[in-house]
Amino acid sequence: MSMFSGLIRVMERAARKAGGRLRRDFGEVEHLQVSRKGPADFVSKADMRAERTLYDELLAARPGWGFVMEEAGVIEGDEGMPRWIVDPLDGTTNFLHGIPHFAISIAVQEPRLDGKGWGEVTAAVVYHPINDETYWAEKSRGAWLQDARLRVSGRRQLSEALIATGIPFQGHGDFAEWSRIFGAIGPEVAGIRRFGAASLDMAYVAQGRFDGFWESGLNDWDTAAGCLLVREAGGFVSDYRGRSNPIHSAQVLAANDALHSRLHKILAGSLR
């Protein structure tokens, strides 16, 4: 992994440390499926422990930096310093049910040069603990899986495209909106998948496994790293109206250039 910069190495080390523990915890969860109380309490503890590990590691490596985290919320850093955007366990429901598809997501966001708010995401790591795989990207340096360069797929036809999504569930998301989009995209494509971890969905778009991805109602920590991975792999990320910001979470549409414009047209049309 000689390609790694110092910053990516810091992120990867933190992710692997938290991920090793999550891997062991996941082994326990698989055995808890039969208990009626179920593994829910155990999982929320595992989630918090992972967040604590990531916080401790990243803080030690970059003392003045801020944090945006799922459990702890926003922790201000020193003025003018970047901040970490961290999801310690993306795919919690999979983890809870003993399904080995979940990830740790870490992104670095820079303050805007004019001092008004936050700007570019400049580094990203999505770590898949079960496979011990590190997806990473740095602004203008490309997207990578370990030391292999990632590129979005070259597919041009929707009829050949495999598209990932996130489906609303109890208390989360807009069922009517999702159903309209699904009803418009579904008939046009080769398949739709719902794997349950947005950070990995976007990593898979960057890798060319999925040809596109849409979801709404996410948080920045779900997608900050994924947005950079897709863009550095040559793909496009926007909201449903086609506007492009450093991070999309309320609405995300990611794909290669040819399919992005097609999907965007269908998606926008379905919501008129």
Side-chain angles (χ1 to χ4, degrees):
M1 302 216 185
S2 55
M3 296 287 315
F4 279 17
S5 69
L7 179 58
I8 294 290
R9 196 169 280 116
V10 161
M11 296 162 76
E12 202 239 4
R13 202 167 45 226
R16 290 182 81 138
K17 188 163 181 184
R21 183 68 189 258
L22 280 179
R23 215 169 21 241
R24 291 194 298 279
D25 288 340
F26 183 72
E28 295 286 307
V29 166
E30 290 182 293
H31 301 302
L32 289 170
Q33 295 304 323
V34 291
S35 75
R36 196 171 48 185
K37 183 164 187 285
D41 295 349
F42 180 83
V43 170
S44 66
K45 284 196 189 80
D47 195 347
M48 305 240 260
R49 258 201 310 267
E51 184 169 288
R52 184 80 227 185
T53 300
L54 292 164
Y55 175 77
D56 290 345
E57 291 285 307
L58 296 171
L59 184 69
R62 298 288 188 275
W65 292 22
F67 285 84
V68 181
M69 298 194 291
E70 190 171 12
E71 306 297 337
V74 176
I75 299 168
E76 299 291 343
D78 298 345
E79 200 171 331
M81 289 298 216
R83 66 180 183 179
W84 303 107
I85 303 178
V86 178
D87 191 343
L89 178 52
D90 182 29
T92 314
T93 304
N94 284 346
F95 189 95
L96 179 64
H97 286 261
I99 297 169
H101 189 79
F102 53 88
I104 292 168
S105 175
I106 308 171
V108 174
Q109 189 176 28
E110 302 287 337
R112 279 180 38 173
L113 294 173
D114 62 12
K116 296 190 178 109
W118 294 93
E120 297 291 335
V121 174
T122 51
V125 161
V126 173
Y127 179 65
H128 191 324
I130 294 293
N131 299 358
D132 189 28
E133 288 179 330
T134 303
Y135 294 88
W136 62 278
E138 274 191 292
K139 187 123 187 87
S140 311
R141 286 194 61 203
W144 305 78
L145 172 56
Q146 329 283 79
D147 54 5
R149 185 79 188 255
L150 301 181
R151 297 295 304 168
V152 290
S153 84
R155 292 191 186 89
R156 296 305 213 218
Q157 305 303 320
L158 280 172
S159 59
E160 298 170 359
L162 185 62
I163 308 296
T165 187
I167 302 176
F169 54 97
Q170 185 185 20
H172 291 266
D174 181 332
F175 285 86
E177 178 194 77
W178 186 86
S179 301
R180 284 207 300 278
I181 298 170
F182 174 70
I185 292 179
E188 305 292 329
V189 299
I192 290 182
R193 297 289 180 269
R194 199 283 192 256
F195 281 15
S199 62
L200 286 173
D201 288 337
M202 295 184 86
Y204 283 11
V205 172
Q207 197 174 3
R209 287 177 168 178
F210 291 144
D211 302 296
F213 166 72
W214 94 87
E215 188 167 358
S216 57
L218 292 167
N219 295 294
D220 284 1
W221 51 78
D222 297 309
T223 61
C227 286
L228 186 65
L229 282 170
V230 171
R231 285 170 172 147
E232 286 295 323
F236 286 78
V237 187
S238 74
D239 66 12
Y240 291 173
R241 293 167 68 178
R243 295 173 302 199
S244 182
N245 294 317
I247 303 173
H248 289 283
S249 53
Q251 298 176 338
V252 193
L253 175 62
N256 67 29
D257 57 343
L259 294 178
H260 188 280
S261 54
R262 291 204 181 127
L263 288 167
H264 170 240
K265 214 170 272 166
I266 295 171
L267 205 159
S270 73
L271 297 179
R272 277 204 189 97

